[in-house]
Amino acid sequence: MTLLIAGLILFLGAHSIRICADGWRSRQIARFGATAWKIGYSAVSLIGLGLIILGFGQARQAPVLLWAPPAGMPHLTALLVLLAFILIAAAYVPRNHIKARLHHPMLLGVQAWALGHLLANGELAGIILFASFLVWALLDLKAARRRDRDQETRYAAGALPGTMFSLVAGVLIWLGFLVKLHGVLIGVPVLG
């Protein structure tokens, strides 16, 4: 559990700098340059992610069950993860209606993913992992919306091709995880 928590602190800590210390972040970028900042940020994030993966894997070897999720939760989780993949795809596809309307679909996608996994997971390590990401995404979304208001950010208008590509990409990635990738990458098959 120690590795999982250390990984969460590093990964989410690095991703929380804009929430807690945006001015400090800007000063460091000005001082060291954008490239050096991105290298350092990426290194800390990757180390954190590695520790999360190792720590969660270790914790799953001796699970501490806090509650047993009801039978229907995996189905609800699958729907929330479908929504998450569509939102995350929309964060990267230019000129789509989803990003034009929601502005921060990546953070909303992380929220849907984390909530879905919280509902279907009653083990302590899973609750710590998914609750941490859910709280982080909620706080980051609040901070991002505040920055948008302060900077009067305008988002590009959506177009049908970008929206359709976001939807199709999200569904295809979801199907890939549903059928095979979740079992291969996470070690927990969704089907079967």
Side-chain angles (χ1 to χ4, degrees):
M1 197 72 76
T2 304
L3 287 180
L4 173 62
I5 292 170
L8 287 167
I9 290 168
L10 284 175
F11 186 85
L12 295 177
H15 284 79
S16 297
I17 292 172
R18 283 198 87 184
I19 300 171
C20 304
D22 200 24
W24 177 84
R25 175 186 172 273
S26 298
R27 289 190 300 278
Q28 300 314 305
I29 292 171
R31 181 177 175 194
F32 296 108
T35 301
W37 173 262
K38 288 177 184 177
I39 290 170
Y41 174 87
S42 297
V44 170
S45 295
L46 284 172
I47 291 168
L49 183 60
L51 290 173
I52 289 170
I53 292 167
L54 286 172
F56 191 66
Q58 286 178 354
R60 284 188 20 220
Q61 300 303 312
V64 176
L65 188 64
L66 298 181
W67 65 288
M73 284 303 127
H75 298 94
L76 180 56
T77 298
L79 289 174
L80 286 168
V81 172
L82 171 60
L83 175 62
F85 279 126
I86 291 169
L87 289 167
I88 292 167
Y92 294 101
V93 175
R95 296 185 53 85
N96 67 77
H97 289 98
I98 299 166
K99 187 170 185 174
R101 175 71 178 109
L102 301 176
H103 303 169
H104 300 282
M106 169 67 81
L107 296 171
L108 293 166
V110 171
Q111 289 174 30
W113 168 83
L115 178 61
H117 283 79
L118 269 174
L119 293 174
N121 192 319
E123 295 175 6
L124 179 61
I127 292 169
I128 289 171
L129 175 66
F130 301 120
S132 296
F133 271 91
L134 180 58
V135 169
W136 167 80
L138 288 166
L139 294 172
D140 199 13
L141 181 61
K142 182 179 178 182
R145 287 182 171 160
R146 185 175 52 246
R147 274 193 311 274
D148 285 353
R149 280 192 307 274
D150 293 346
Q151 298 169 4
E152 298 180 1
T153 304
R154 299 287 174 245
Y155 288 85
L160 187 59
T163 304
M164 293 306 297
F165 190 82
S166 298
L167 290 169
V168 169
V171 168
L172 290 176
I173 294 167
W174 176 75
L175 284 171
F177 267 82
L178 190 69
V179 172
K180 188 76 172 167
L181 291 175
H182 200 275
V184 171
L185 298 174
I186 312 301
V188 179
V190 177
L191 300 177

